[in-house]
């Protein structure tokens, strides 16, 4: 069985239209034949027999002879009078063309039976068409009428044989047999033409819609789509085209965003690099030209500021290059199974040792309830996320940094990193995850220069893993800030 929906649809349409037009052709053929052939009266055999008995009930032959004067000019049937033995009583010289012994003869007065050609015997209906031909259903035209045998009244059985009248040949046109064939051919041609017109109109509408959609896409309207209102192969093709258009729109939008981000990155890079370079040059020139006249403490301050500028310069370049790389369409995150507990513990220990070498005495409090918490993600990005968060906590902490991790019932991993430092300012809370326009200068001894790219990096990594990151301050019962808190939530599978 053919399962092609388009074929099924148009096949049923063509079959239905052809069937309708063929039926209409037959109807037209019958109507046309009736109009072209003269109509005749419908006279039942019983009626003719009663007229014979009424004209002359004692002498049937005289009654039959007198009957033509009642008919006028209209051709009438041929009447033959037979006795019970099948002998012809009237007209003289008539030769019977059927077997009398095998013929079913009416038993009651005015009953009749039909007698077909070649002694064919048939049961009799209630009416006999003496004048009008019976139209057939085929292209050959009308069928021939049958003869009827009627029993007349009287003491001895007598039968009236009524033969159909013979009409002049000119009453039936010579082309009459071809009318049925011509009407059938014409109906088929009309049905085929109507089918082709409907199919063409349907396909043409789809072509016009496709042309409009493609023109809209060509003119830059990437949201142009096919209106899907059908479930056949055309509808499925439209759905696939719309899906492809969605992917193209996403790709083009992403390329535009990347290009805008690249342009913005170059502008930011030029702007942000100009400031530390100018500041570092000014410090170096001061140290070079006025070193002998400067107090040693001032020299140390200038050197400290220079190192801060260098540190800021390095972190700025690293963060900008990372953000440029992770936003590239070609960048592929490595989806691998990671032991998050081990990664978090390793990064925390590394930060602790690094700051101990810098002379900062900080206690690391690790509370990782499950040592085998796993998730699927990119190892390099996850390590970068934890490193940025831990470095922020260690750099601002006074004595203690707490690291906690647990797996929730919903299948998400929750990580909390706290310190006992001064906490986040309100401006830092509001701008976390967004790059600041100007640099922030921390005047504390271990303070840093920053434009907030570290928070942008952390948020970008969380977004790439379908996670969330939130920052807040730890508040005591007296509403005093006890330190900063970073909450990270990641799904086990991205």
């Amino acid at each position: 069985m053919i399962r092609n929906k388009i074929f099924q649809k148009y096949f049923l349409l063509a079959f239905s239209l052809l069937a309708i037009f063929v039926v209409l052709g037959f109807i037209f053929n019958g109507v046309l034949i009736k109009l072209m052939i003269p109509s005749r009266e419908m006279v039942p055999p019983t009626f003719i027999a009663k007229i014979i008995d009424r004209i002359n009930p004692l002498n049937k032959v005289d009654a039959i002879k007198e009957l033509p004067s009642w008919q006028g000019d209209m051709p009438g049937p041929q009447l033959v009078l037979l006795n019970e033995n099948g002998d012809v009583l009237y007209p003289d010289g008539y030769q019977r063309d059927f077997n009398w012994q095998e013929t079913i003869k009416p038993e009651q007065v005015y009953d009749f039976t039909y007698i077909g050609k070649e002694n064919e015997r048939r049961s009799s209906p209630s009416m006999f068409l003496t004048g009008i031909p019976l139209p057939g259903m085929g292209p050959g035209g009308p069928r021939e009428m049958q003869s009827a045998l009627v029993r007349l009244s009287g003491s001895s059985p007598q039968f009236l044989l009524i033969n159909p009248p013979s009409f002049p040949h000119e009453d039936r046109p010579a082309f009459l047999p071809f009318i049925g064939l011509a009407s059938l051919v014409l109906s088929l041609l009309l049905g085929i033409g109507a089918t082709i017109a409907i199919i063409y109109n349907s396909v043409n509408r789809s072509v016009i819609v496709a042309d409009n959609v493609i023109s809209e896409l060509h003119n830059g309207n990437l949201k142009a789509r096919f209106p899907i209102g059908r479930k056949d192969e055309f509808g499925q093709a439209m759905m696939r085209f719309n899906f492809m258009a969605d992917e193209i729109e996403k790709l083009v939008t992403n390329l535009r965003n990347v290009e805008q981000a690249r342009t913005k990155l170059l502008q930011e890079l030029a702007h942000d690099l100009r400031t530390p370079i100018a500041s570092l040059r000014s410090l170096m020139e001061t140290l070079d030209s006025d070193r002998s006249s400067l107090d040693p403490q001032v020299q140390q301050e200038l050197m400290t500021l220079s190192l801060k500028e260098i540190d800021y310069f390095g972190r700025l370049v690293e963060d900008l290059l990372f953000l440029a790389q992770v936003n590239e369409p070609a960048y592929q995150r490595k989806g691998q199974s990671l032991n998050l507990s081990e990664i978090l513990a390793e990064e925390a220990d590394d930060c602790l040792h690094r700051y101990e070498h810098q002379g900062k005495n900080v206690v690391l409090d690790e509370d990782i309830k499950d040592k085998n918490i796993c998730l699927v993600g990119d190892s390099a990005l996850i390590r970068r996320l934890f490193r940025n968060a831990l470095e922020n906590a260690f750099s601002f902490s006074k004595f203690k940094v707490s690291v906690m991790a647990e797996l929730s019932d919903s299948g998400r991993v929750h990580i909390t990193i706290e310190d006992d430092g001064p906490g986040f300012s309100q401006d830092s809370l509001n701008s976390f995850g967004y790059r600041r326009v100007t640099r922030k200068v921390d005047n504390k001894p271990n303070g840093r220069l920053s434009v907030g790219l570290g928070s942008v990096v952390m948020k970008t990594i969380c977004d790439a893993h379908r996670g969330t990151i939130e920052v807040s301050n730890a508040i005591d019962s007296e509403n005093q800030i006890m330190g900063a808190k970073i909450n990270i939530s990641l799904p086990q599978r991205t």
Side-chain angles (χ1 to χ4, degrees), residues 52-346:
I52 296 297
D53 287 339
R54 181 67 59 88
I55 293 176
N56 194 335
L58 299 178
N59 191 335
K60 311 297 183 184
V61 174
D62 291 342
I64 293 175
K65 292 180 179 179
E66 188 176 350
L67 181 62
S69 63
W70 289 38
Q71 295 181 179
D73 297 333
M74 184 183 71
Q78 182 185 23
L79 303 180
V80 180
L81 184 64
L82 305 172
N83 61 16
E84 58 183 340
N85 297 320
D87 298 329
V88 178
L89 302 179
Y90 178 84
D92 297 334
Y94 179 81
Q95 296 296 325
R96 179 168 37 83
D97 59 356
F98 60 92
N99 192 325
W100 178 259
Q101 301 300 328
E102 296 180 358
T103 301
I104 299 176
K105 292 167 283 290
E107 297 180 357
Q108 301 296 329
V109 176
Y110 301 136
D111 282 350
F112 67 94
T113 58
Y114 281 132
I115 300 176
K117 297 175 63 176
E118 299 179 358
N119 298 332
E120 179 184 1
R121 295 175 295 176
R122 302 187 183 184
S123 59
S124 57
S126 59
M127 301 292 287
F128 174 76
L129 305 183
T130 62
I132 185 170
L134 297 173
M137 292 304 294
R143 294 193 296 260
E144 292 187 4
M145 297 177 294
Q146 296 174 287
S147 299
L149 185 65
V150 188
R151 181 163 181 167
L152 299 174
S153 64
S155 57
S156 61
Q158 288 184 328
F159 300 90
L160 181 65
L161 177 63
I162 306 175
N163 291 321
S166 58
F167 299 100
H169 187 267
E170 58 272 11
D171 286 350
R172 300 178 63 180
F175 57 86
L176 186 62
F178 301 100
I179 292 180
L181 179 62
S183 62
L184 179 60
V185 173
L186 180 61
S187 63
L188 288 175
L189 292 177
L190 291 176
I192 294 173
T195 303
I196 294 175
I198 293 176
I199 295 176
Y200 171 79
N201 187 50
S202 176
V203 175
N204 188 53
R205 286 200 305 267
S206 300
V207 171
I208 293 175
V209 172
D211 185 64
N212 292 335
V213 172
I214 294 174
S215 298
E216 288 291 325
L217 291 173
H218 179 73
N219 293 331
N221 181 16
L222 298 180
K223 295 189 177 297
R225 298 292 185 272
F226 279 110
I228 301 175
R230 50 199 303 174
K231 297 181 180 180
D232 54 12
E233 284 73 15
F234 279 138
Q236 294 174 4
M238 291 176 182
M239 291 178 62
R240 291 193 295 270
F241 182 90
N242 288 350
F243 178 77
M244 179 192 68
D246 291 338
E247 295 299 318
I248 292 176
E249 182 184 8
K250 292 178 183 177
L251 178 61
V252 172
T253 302
N254 191 29
L255 289 174
R256 288 174 178 174
N257 293 338
V258 169
E259 186 61 28
Q260 293 175 358
R262 191 191 308 276
T263 303
K264 185 178 180 181
L265 176 64
L266 292 175
Q267 295 173 350
E268 292 175 348
L269 187 62
H271 177 271
D272 291 334
L273 292 181
R274 184 171 57 222
T275 301
I277 290 175
S279 177
L280 186 60
R281 178 172 182 172
S282 176
L283 291 171
M284 292 295 101
E285 288 178 349
T286 301
L287 286 174
D288 182 56
S289 60
D290 301 332
R291 180 180 300 178
S292 58
S293 59
L294 293 175
D295 185 76
Q297 184 177 359
V298 175
Q299 293 183 20
Q300 183 61 38
E301 291 178 356
L302 292 176
M303 288 298 299
T304 302
L305 290 175
S306 298
L307 292 175
K308 285 185 177 182
E309 291 289 358
I310 293 173
D311 180 62
Y312 166 77
F313 182 83
R315 285 186 290 103
L316 176 65
V317 173
E318 182 182 1
D319 290 341
L320 287 174
L321 292 178
F322 171 80
L323 292 174
Q325 180 185 19
V326 80
N327 287 324
E328 282 286 343
Y331 180 79
Q332 299 291 332
R333 291 190 298 107
K334 298 178 181 179
Q336 52 190 356
S337 180
L338 307 175
N339 190 322
L340 185 138
S341 304
E342 293 182 359
I343 294 176
L344 184 58
E346 290 174 3

